[in-house]
Amino acid sequence: SSAPSVCPSRRQLLAAMNDCLAGVAPCLARFVSTPVTAVAALTGRAAHSTLDPKTRGSQGMGLPAQMKPETVDTIAATAPVVAPKALDITKTFYSGILQDHSSLLAYFNPAHNVPISEHQPQALAGSVVAYASNIRDLSPLLVPNGPVNAICHRHCALCIIPPQYVVVHDNLMAAIGKTLGSAVTPEIAAAWSE
């Protein structure tokens, strides 16, 4: 039997995201009407999106093809320490991002977010903990109709675009630092950032 890959490849994640693009092409088409032939070439399947490949996905964002083994080790080692503080981190995150980027309020039901509710922070905290806890083998999260698929469908339905993930990254990293303080060494911060 073959052991699971230590690090998920971009191809695996792209394939999972491409699967969930089916049915949301009309939403995506309002941005650009160029067929995504690059996705079809990479995955060997027909493209579902009409977004220009130059503006779709993480190409050009400086992301590695896969995480370094040291990164995976650091995430695996720190996940049990971060997990009990995950809700505090995500509550801090949502409070900050929605205050600093009020245009993002359009993507959230206010009844599901702080200060009214902890629904959205709990959902994000659960996702972060699930990802970190399964960092050595993400396959349980990549199953059909699984958590990554659900997140992809939701983000596609809302027409979330790659630059918005940069805002999320920066604000989530700030919330981690604010919540965990000096426990977040430069090495830990670099691993969680990657």
Side-chain angles (χ1 to χ4, degrees):
S1 74
S2 63
S5 171
V6 171
C7 303
S9 71
R10 234 188 187 164
R11 181 173 289 183
Q12 289 171 298
L13 294 173
L14 181 60
M17 292 180 78
N18 195 45
D19 284 344
C20 72
L21 287 173
V24 296
C27 169
L28 298 172
R30 71 181 187 197
F31 293 107
V32 180
S33 60
T34 306
V36 183
T37 55
V39 175
L42 180 63
T43 63
R45 293 179 291 175
H48 299 294
S49 173
T50 56
L51 276 176
D52 185 329
K54 294 179 202 119
T55 59
R56 179 178 177 268
S58 58
Q59 295 82 1
M61 294 179 73
L63 298 174
Q66 64 184 34
M67 288 184 282
K68 297 182 293 255
E70 312 84 68
T71 297
V72 173
D73 292 342
T74 300
I75 298 296
T78 57
V81 177
V82 172
K85 298 300 248 172
L87 183 57
D88 293 334
I89 291 167
T90 58
K91 285 167 48 177
T92 300
F93 162 77
Y94 280 111
S95 294
I97 198 169
L98 295 177
Q99 181 178 356
D100 296 344
H101 302 275
S102 59
S103 64
L104 295 178
L105 285 167
Y107 295 97
F108 297 100
N109 179 340
H112 292 169
N113 221 322
V114 292
I116 298 168
S117 169
E118 293 182 355
H119 176 80
Q120 188 64 37
Q122 286 171 341
L124 179 57
S127 295
V128 169
V129 170
Y131 184 78
S133 300
N134 289 283
I135 195 74
R136 294 194 189 282
D137 177 15
L138 293 177
S139 60
L141 306 178
L142 298 174
V143 296
N145 300 318
V148 169
N149 191 267
I151 292 167
C152 290
H153 275 283
R154 185 70 180 149
H155 287 192
C156 289
L158 291 170
C159 297
I160 303 298
I161 57 174
Q164 291 168 318
Y165 290 108
V166 175
V167 173
V168 169
H169 167 270
D170 294 348
N171 283 269
L172 186 56
M173 290 306 299
I176 289 170
K178 185 175 183 178
T179 305
L180 300 179
S182 62
V184 183
T185 65
E187 295 80 16
I188 292 171
W192 280 84
S193 180
E194 186 179 323

